[in-house]
Amino acid sequence: SLDQLDATIVSLEDSGAYRLGWHESYLDREWRTPSGRIVSLADDVLARAAVKFGPPLAHADQLQQAIRALWVGHGQAPDIELSFAGTRAPTSLEEFLFLTLESARRGLNPACVAPSLGALWQPGAKFAGEPSELETRLVALGEITALAGAEKAGIHHAAGKTGILPLTARVLGDR
């Protein structure tokens, strides 16, 4: 229920996973991609994404702070990648929008964010979907990462998928 989501978000704010007012960056907004796709975050979608990804984003904040502290005087710190590729349920475009924008808003600035493409995209499994469907999805992921700045869409486990690497390189380019 929305009441449970709200209570969980308040708990996440109290624990430091989100600063007060974080959600204002997302309310009543639409993001238009270069292809004309419009992506927005309805209140319930934003709340579910915040609850789902709040703890891992807070953990990534802590890891980044530790790396920065330990890396002082050693040159440029290593790149950080946020990977959600191992989950069975695919990351929705709205969730991916939230992940990319929220990681940028927090200053995480990961080299890439790797969404889950679902159970059909697991290590060692042949991709069973339609290539055109995958292409449409990859285009959307690449365009969403562009909305957040320099991030890239990470596509994990592609090496074992015959014909997928050329498709991802063609569709995503440097995204």
Side-chain angles (χ1 to χ4, degrees), residues 9 12 18 22 45-55 98:
I9 288 171
L12 287 167
Y18 293 106
W22 64 272
V45 172
L46 175 61
R48 285 179 187 14
V51 167
K52 182 176 183 178
F53 298 112
F98 173 76

Side-chain angles (χ1 to χ4, degrees), residues 61 64 68 102-110:
D61 283 336
Q64 184 184 49
R68 284 183 178 163
E102 182 63 16
S103 63
R105 188 189 69 77
R106 290 167 176 255
L108 283 171
N109 302 318

Side-chain angles (χ1 to χ4, degrees), residues 78-102:
D79 289 334
I80 293 176
E81 177 179 323
L82 298 177
S83 177
F84 300 90
T87 61
R88 300 298 251 166
T91 305
S92 72
L93 294 180
E94 293 80 12
E95 288 174 332
F96 191 66
L97 175 69
F98 173 76
L99 282 170
T100 58
L101 294 176
E102 182 63 16

Side-chain angles (χ1 to χ4, degrees), residues 9-172:
I9 288 171
V10 168
S11 176
L12 287 167
E13 290 170 343
D14 290 347
S15 73
Y18 293 106
R19 291 193 174 114
L20 290 177
W22 64 272
H23 60 285
E24 293 169 6
S25 300
Y26 307 104
L27 295 178
D28 301 320
R29 289 213 41 207
E30 292 181 339
W31 292 266
R32 182 179 298 275
T33 67
S35 68
R37 178 189 310 268
I38 297 173
V39 187
S40 63
L41 296 169
D43 289 347
D44 62 322
V45 172
L46 175 61
R48 285 179 187 14
V51 167
K52 182 176 183 178
F53 298 112
L57 287 170
H59 186 70
D61 283 336
Q62 292 172 347
L63 289 173
Q64 184 184 49
Q65 289 172 11
I67 289 168
R68 284 183 178 163
L70 293 171
W71 213 263
V72 171
H74 297 289
Q76 185 175 345
D79 289 334
I80 293 176
E81 177 179 323
L82 298 177
S83 177
F84 300 90
T87 61
R88 300 298 251 166
T91 305
S92 72
L93 294 180
E94 293 80 12
E95 288 174 332
F96 191 66
L97 175 69
F98 173 76
L99 282 170
T100 58
L101 294 176
E102 182 63 16
S103 63
R105 188 189 69 77
R106 290 167 176 255
L108 283 171
N109 302 318
C112 71
V113 178
S116 172
L117 296 176
L120 296 176
W121 193 271
Q122 296 302 310
K126 180 181 176 191
F127 179 71
E130 290 294 320
S132 62
E133 180 183 320
L134 177 61
E135 183 171 347
T136 300
R137 177 108 173 135
L138 292 175
V139 166
L141 294 173
E143 289 181 338
I144 288 170
T145 59
L147 295 172
E151 296 175 2
K152 295 181 180 185
I155 307 299
H156 285 214
H157 316 301
K161 312 283 190 271
T162 306
I164 296 298
L165 288 178
L167 173 67
T168 57
R170 180 176 58 77
V171 172
L172 290 174

